[in-house]
């Protein structure tokens, strides 16, 4: 703790110094905050569940809906949920939002697998509108991860 530079998150410092793995950090955050830690694979998530929240909201808050059960929408996120995040997400669903921690790398794997962040409508060369997938993800402002 004494070696942590000003303005650097303690978790990020511990991971960067090799004193703690990113997974270890998220296990500790899970325990400390009472949030479940999940390691989920893209093939375990149904596309219709991913679309339970609007794309722009999911991108802004870096959340990935992964399951609907017992009146709740389970979302994976690499950030500890704030009241602001919870309020923003709750405004888009009648389901109770239930947060689960994932590492930033795990979140990116999920986001890349669904490529919803890359979908764009373009004009077909013959003038027909079609949905084409692009490989470029837009740059968005997002909350910082504890590991950045």
């Amino acid at each position: 703790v004494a070696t942590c530079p000003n303005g650097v998150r303690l978790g990020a410092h511990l991971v960067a110094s090799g004193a703690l793995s990113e997974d270890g950090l998220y296990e500790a955050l899970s325990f400390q905050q009472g949030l479940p830690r999940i390691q989920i694979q893209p093939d375990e998530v149904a596309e219709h569940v991913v679309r339970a929240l609007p794309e722009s909201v999911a991108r802004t808050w870096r959340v990935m809906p992964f399951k609907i059960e017992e009146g709740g929408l389970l979302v994976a996120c690499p950030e500890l949920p704030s009241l602001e995040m919870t309020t923003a997400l709750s405004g888009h669903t009648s389901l109770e939002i239930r947060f689960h921690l994932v590492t930033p790398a795990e979140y990116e794997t999920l986001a890349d697998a669904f490529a919803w962040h890359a979908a764009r409508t373009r004009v077909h060369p013959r003038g027909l509108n079609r949905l084409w997938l692009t490989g470029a993800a837009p740059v968005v402002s997002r909350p910082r991860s504890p590991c950045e």
Side-chain angles (χ1 to χ4, degrees):
V1 176
T3 62
C4 186
N6 286 337
V8 175
R9 291 179 171 186
L10 179 58
H13 175 67
L14 292 172
V15 170
S17 69
L20 188 61
S21 68
E22 186 178 60
D23 194 55
L25 171 62
Y26 275 78
E27 289 293 335
L29 287 171
S30 170
F31 180 75
Q32 178 192 44
Q33 298 297 315
L35 287 173
R37 165 79 169 96
I38 190 163
Q39 293 176 315
I40 190 161
Q41 299 302 313
D43 63 354
E44 299 175 77
V45 182
E47 178 118 12
H48 74 276
V49 174
V50 171
R51 298 186 187 282
L53 290 174
E55 171 195 353
S56 61
V57 173
R59 276 190 314 173
T60 297
W61 293 103
R62 294 188 74 210
V63 298
M64 177 64 68
F66 67 90
K67 190 172 189 179
I68 296 173
E69 70 177 15
E70 299 176 7
L73 179 61
L74 283 59
V75 297
C77 61
E79 284 293 320
L80 298 175
S82 64
L83 178 59
E84 183 182 15
M85 178 192 289
T86 304
T87 301
L89 298 180
S90 296
H92 296 280
T93 180
S94 61
L95 299 170
E96 175 189 358
I97 305 291
R98 298 180 192 152
F99 294 97
H100 291 69
L101 287 176
V102 294
T103 67
E106 292 165 343
Y107 169 80
E108 293 301 329
T109 297
L110 288 169
D112 289 346
F114 287 96
W116 48 254
H117 60 284
R120 294 286 172 260
T121 301
R122 294 191 179 175
V123 176
H124 187 273
R126 295 187 184 148
L128 303 171
N129 282 335
R130 295 195 181 168
L131 181 64
W132 291 4
L133 293 180
T134 66
V139 176
V140 295
S141 173
R142 60 176 175 76
R144 287 182 33 204
S145 165
C147 295
E148 291 179 342

